[in-house]
């Protein structure tokens, strides 16, 4: 039995292009649409991908009408909450590449949208996997272990 691939849309062609590379090798996801405000960014993505099964958009409101299951937000960090809300209201699950909110009001609006729509939302900040946070975790664990052994 073949698993159904999740159809993913990407908003933000800069750092978000890793998603295309992931989907190329994935058994469970396919990139079906890409959106960016930058005409130059879209042109570069079209050239890099060269795949007629991927649809390109410059307008987010048109992009979220595309037949897809989820949206990966890799746009400007200060804009994630409003776009996540629009996507979930359009029936899409959402993953934010970075911290999605700038204010408590945005946080409340995002949480209320998740609860109201029942859509899945993933905050996929990768900073916690960088060397600095790992070292801080190690030092904290070492300090706790040393205090426990006293």
């Amino acid at each position: 039995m073949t698993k159904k691939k999740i159809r993913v849309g990407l908003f933000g062609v800069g750092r978000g292009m890793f998603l295309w590379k992931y989907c190329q090798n994935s058994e469970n996801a396919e990139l079906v649409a890409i959106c960016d405000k930058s005409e130059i960014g879209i042109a570069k993505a079209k050239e890099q991908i060269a795949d007629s099964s991927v649809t390109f958009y410059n307008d987010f409101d048109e992009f979220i009408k595309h037949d897809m299951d989820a949206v990966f937000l890799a746009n400007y960090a200060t804009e994630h909450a409003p776009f996540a809300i629009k996507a979930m209201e359009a029936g899409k699950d959402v993953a934010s590449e970075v911290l999605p909110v700038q204010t408590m009001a945005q946080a409340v609006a995002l949480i209320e949208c998740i609860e109201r729509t029942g859509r899945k939302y993933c905050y996929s900040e990768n900073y916690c996997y960088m060397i600095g946070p790992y070292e801080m975790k190690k030092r904290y664990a070492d300090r706790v272990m040393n205090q426990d052994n006293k």
Side-chain angles (χ1 to χ4, degrees), residues 136-150:
M136 290 172 65
K137 180 181 177 184
K138 180 184 174 297
R139 288 181 184 195
Y140 174 78
D142 289 347
R143 189 178 80 220
V144 169
M145 290 298 293
N146 288 335
Q147 287 176 354
D148 288 346
N149 292 330
K150 287 183 181 178

Side-chain angles (χ1 to χ4, degrees), residues 107-146:
V108 169
L110 182 59
I111 291 167
E112 288 176 347
C113 181
I114 294 165
E115 291 172 347
R116 182 178 67 256
T117 64
R119 302 308 314 175
K120 293 181 181 90
Y121 176 81
C122 175
Y123 166 45
S124 52
E125 173 63 65
N126 61 5
Y127 182 76
C128 56
Y129 298 105
M130 294 180 173
I131 292 171
Y134 266 122
E135 180 63 24
M136 290 172 65
K137 180 181 177 184
K138 180 184 174 297
R139 288 181 184 195
Y140 174 78
D142 289 347
R143 189 178 80 220
V144 169
M145 290 298 293
N146 288 335

